[in-house]
Structures are given as structure tokens and as C-alpha cells.
Amino acid sequence: MILGIRLLSVLRRSGVESHLVVSRSAEVTLAHETDMKVAELRALADVSYAAADIGAAIASGSFRAMGMIVAPCSVRTMSEIATGVTSTLLTRAADVTLKERRPLVLMVRETPLHLGHLRTMTQLAEMGAVIAPPVPAFYNRPQTIDDLVDHTVGRALDLFGLDAGIVRRWGEPAPAEVLET
Ligand SMILES: Cc1cc2nc3c(=O)[nH]c(=O)nc-3n(C[C@H](O)[C@H](O)[C@H](O)COP(=O)(O)O)c2cc1C
């Protein structure tokens, strides 16, 4: 859940308007993985919707958006998007993002993966989605979990042409190296 939380914070800091859908299971996961309340999570977004609100603005392709990130993306949600069965606003908005040919980035969180997961990912990639599991990078020498999260979130935003200044890019000196020179 920390991925989604950080993503919303970074978007806000970058002046990018955010529209949030939180699934019921994500609310449960939030309670397991953080001390944050659902209301606090929702307050990080500019607009927040109930997952059952299938008549919300983001359910329509006429609503203009840069794209969508599902962070984190469960296997259940990934599979639903792949089938086109859009039973909630979350998966409807993802389907709309695909049909409008806007970037859809799925931070699929599961390991190990069975053949069915991999086939679903292939299907989604063929449909135009970006499968971006939150796999940490180590070349940037992360010191904290926040460093790992920032890099992952920043690389997802790269896919939208957004540079939030939280990615230390390959070849750039580490902060310590900057101080030494
Ligand atoms: C603490 C917690 C962690 C979970 N982590 C994962 C996960 O990493 N990947 C996954 O596919 N499902 C995970 N699940 C199970 C999903 O929440 C469950 O499959 C749910 O039906 C997903 O619904 P949603 O896609 O609508 O959010 C987790 C559940 C809990 C309670």
C-alpha cells in the first residue's frame, strides 16, 4: 500500500490532479500494512470515488486523463481487467484507459507467478497495458525502504513523462559522491 500512498503524495507535490479508487480489499490491506486510515488515504487525492460508483466521471472515456496507475495491482484486479469484465469503478476506469489508448500501468504485486498469471500479463501487454511489478532497483544504492519505494514510483511516473525528481538515474552520482566532489 505504501506504493499507492507515495504515488498520491508525489502527484500532489508535482501539481498533478489525482482521481482515486480504493477497492474494498485495498482498505483491508491498508489496515494490515500501515497505520493510515482510509479517510487519510482518500484525502491525499484531489478526487476520491467509491469503488461501486460506476457512474463516476472516470468511468467515461470522455473524461480527459493522462492515464492510470493501479498501485498496487492484485492478481484479482489484473485478471478482471484482462477479461474486460468491469464489475467495479476501478476495473471500468482501467478498461476505459485501454480503449482510449492512454497509458495503463499495473504494479502487479505477487510472487511467485504461475503460468496463468504470466499468460494474463501477456494478454494485457498485447492489449497495451504496461506490466510494472514493483521490483526494487539496487544500482542506485537504496538506504531505506522509502528509497526503494521512491525509485519504483518515480519509474512508473517516467512512463507518463513525469519527472518528480525522486529517481536517481543510472550514471548519476550518489548523494555521498556529490558531497565528496
Ligand atoms: C494484507 C494483504 C495483502 C495482500 N497482498 C496481495 C498481493 O500482494 N497480491 C495479490 O494479488 N493479492 C493480495 N492480497 C489478496 C487480495 O486482497 C485479494 O485477492 C482481493 O480479492 C483483491 O481484490 P481487489 O483486486 O479488488 O483489491 C492481499 C490481501 C491482504 C489482506
Side-chain angles (χ1 to χ4, degrees), residues 28-106:
V28 175
T29 307
L30 183 74
H32 280 284
E33 296 184 347
T34 77
D35 294 325
M36 186 177 256
K37 300 283 175 248
V38 177
E40 293 172 302
L41 175 66
R42 291 189 179 280
L44 291 175
D46 291 294
V47 185
S48 176
Y49 307 94
D53 185 7
I54 43 93
I58 57 171
S60 170
S62 64
F63 180 80
R64 295 173 69 227
M66 293 173 71
M68 178 171 172
I69 304 183
V70 184
C73 182
S74 74
V75 166
R76 200 202 75 79
T77 286
M78 172 184 78
S79 305
E80 188 169 304
I81 296 168
T83 61
V85 177
T86 56
S87 64
T88 69
L89 179 59
L90 175 61
T91 47
R92 167 63 186 166
D95 198 59
V96 165
T97 304
L98 284 177
K99 86 180 173 73
E100 297 297 328
R101 307 294 194 269
R102 297 173 186 142
L104 173 67
V105 176
L106 305 179

Side-chain angles (χ1 to χ4, degrees), residues 7 12 30 51 80 120 124 144 146 172:
L7 180 62
R12 167 153 291 187
L30 183 74
E80 188 169 304
T120 304
L124 282 161
T144 65
D146 283 346
E172 287 180 357

